[in-house]
Amino acid sequence: MIKYYIYAWLRNDGSPYYIGKGAGKRAWVKHPGCEAKRPNDSSLIVIMESNLTEIGALALERFYIRWYGRKDIGTGI
């Protein structure tokens, strides 16, 4: 069974600019087609929740995106 996690890419001030769901090395690789660029400093990649089912990870990803908002639509950081 695959275990998933929720991760954040952080700015230098510690605020997240990307929240994602992943498994394996997903948090540390470039995402094709994604405008957000992975931080060069791996200390700015944070695992927020781990050991999740895919359904649980999807739910938490949505929660965190709503919590922090989305800059592209003017609702968040």
Side-chain angles (χ1 to χ4, degrees):
M1 176 181 248
I2 297 173
K3 291 297 181 178
Y4 294 87
Y5 55 83
I6 301 301
Y7 64 96
W9 289 349
L10 306 178
R11 296 180 185 92
N12 288 329
D13 68 4
S15 65
Y17 65 90
Y18 186 85
I19 303 288
K21 168 187 82 79
K25 301 277 184 200
R26 171 81 175 160
W28 293 272
V29 298
K30 181 180 177 190
H31 300 1
C34 179
E35 290 183 27
K37 296 194 188 292
R38 181 183 64 80
N40 291 325
D41 181 352
S42 62
S43 72
L44 297 174
I45 300 171
V46 176
I47 303 301
M48 300 170 70
E49 306 271 352
S50 61
N51 202 29
L52 303 168
T53 64
E54 186 171 24
I55 298 295
L58 287 167
L60 284 170
E61 179 187 36
R62 288 183 65 184
F63 168 80
Y64 282 115
I65 291 170
R66 282 190 203 150
W67 178 264
Y68 289 110
R70 289 180 46 179
K71 187 176 181 179
D72 64 333
I73 60 173
T75 63
I77 53 179

